[in-house]
Amino acid sequence: MAAPSPLVLSTDAPSKDRLTDRKRQSIVQAAIDEFRTHGFGATSMDRIALTAGVSKRTVYNHFPSKEALFAEILIQLWDASAAQVDLAYRPERPLRAQLLELLWQKMRMLCDASFVDLARVAIAETIHSPERAQEMVARLGDREEGVTVWLRAAAADGKLKLPDPVFAAHQLQGLVKSFAFWPQITMGQPTLPAAMQQQVVESAVDMFLARYA
């Protein structure tokens, strides 16, 4: 079984949490381990329930389907990786510094072992069962809206000239993903070393500003 990632949420719930909250997080943690180890197709709700130490009925009480559970896991991992960065545009701060923060947030997520493992499973599921994975992928896409919102705010402040903020957001994030996501997902390449991460982030920001500032 794969070693836990630092982004995997802790199952140690605060004392004020109800028993149901602790059970829900136990289910999520068990599902993370199962999906990473066995993949989406080979993982069953029965297996997740066994690993979590709860009944299958309890699992379904919290999550109506395996797809819903998997989508929830990916969103939680995204939220955990994003927690340290405020996506709100701040007009008093230098534009380049804010863009660097945005892309470092993206880089941290893409370099997390848990996220990469689960992304492989999600993409494989999309290929084999596109209709079943549509909602899952759509929910993940919603989590990237923060960059578009930030770019729109910067454009409204007169700092960027963006004919199409959605296109520009995909463009900006694609500059990072082409080095730090797709090679790892499709070809099994290792996580970028720190120096390369810095080069990718800084060059992406500078290229973006050269085009749109």
Side-chain angles (χ1 to χ4, degrees):
M1 185 174 292
S5 160
L7 286 187
V8 174
L9 302 184
S10 172
T11 57
D12 295 331
S15 57
K16 66 179 180 179
D17 282 359
R18 298 174 300 168
L19 177 61
T20 53
D21 296 324
R22 294 198 297 271
K23 284 185 177 180
R24 180 184 177 89
Q25 194 51 48
S26 294
I27 293 166
V28 170
Q29 182 63 64
I32 288 172
D33 293 339
E34 292 297 328
F35 284 132
R36 290 183 68 194
T37 303
H38 304 290
F40 186 89
T43 296
S44 67
M45 296 293 256
D46 288 303
R47 182 189 288 272
I48 292 169
L50 181 64
T51 302
V54 300
S55 68
K56 184 177 178 180
R57 180 177 179 181
T58 299
V59 175
Y60 277 108
N61 284 341
H62 288 279
F63 300 98
S65 67
K66 186 170 66 170
E67 291 81 5
L69 176 51
F70 188 65
E72 177 66 20
I73 288 168
L74 292 180
I75 289 170
Q76 286 198 27
L77 287 172
W78 193 98
D79 287 342
S81 70
Q84 298 179 9
V85 177
D86 183 1
L87 281 174
Y89 172 73
R90 288 171 293 221
E92 74 280 0
R93 292 199 59 208
L95 198 65
R96 186 176 187 272
Q98 293 187 68
L99 278 171
L100 287 172
E101 283 187 305
L102 288 175
L103 287 201
W104 272 117
Q105 169 189 298
K106 176 67 65 174
M107 181 65 78
R108 284 192 293 270
M109 178 180 71
L110 298 180
C111 290
D112 176 71
S114 263
F115 185 85
V116 170
D117 287 347
L118 292 170
R120 287 194 185 105
V121 177
I123 290 169
E125 182 63 15
T126 302
I127 292 171
H128 292 114
S129 304
E131 68 289 345
R132 188 166 59 184
Q134 271 186 346
E135 182 181 355
M136 179 192 309
V137 174
R139 290 180 69 185
L140 282 175
D142 290 342
R143 306 308 299 174
E144 295 197 337
E145 281 298 308
V147 176
T148 304
V149 171
W150 188 96
L151 292 177
R152 284 197 177 107
D157 191 38
K159 299 294 179 61
L160 294 173
K161 296 179 181 179
L162 300 175
D164 186 342
V166 175
F167 177 85
H170 282 291
Q171 201 173 37
L172 177 61
Q173 295 175 94
L175 292 171
V176 175
K177 289 180 178 178
S178 63
F179 289 94
F181 182 69
W182 291 116
Q184 291 73 22
I185 294 295
T186 60
M187 295 181 286
Q189 291 189 9
T191 300
L192 295 181
M196 186 62 177
Q197 291 181 34
Q198 183 172 353
Q199 181 181 353
V200 169
V201 168
E202 291 185 356
S203 62
V205 168
D206 290 339
M207 288 177 65
F208 187 82
L209 290 176
R211 171 65 180 86
Y212 293 113

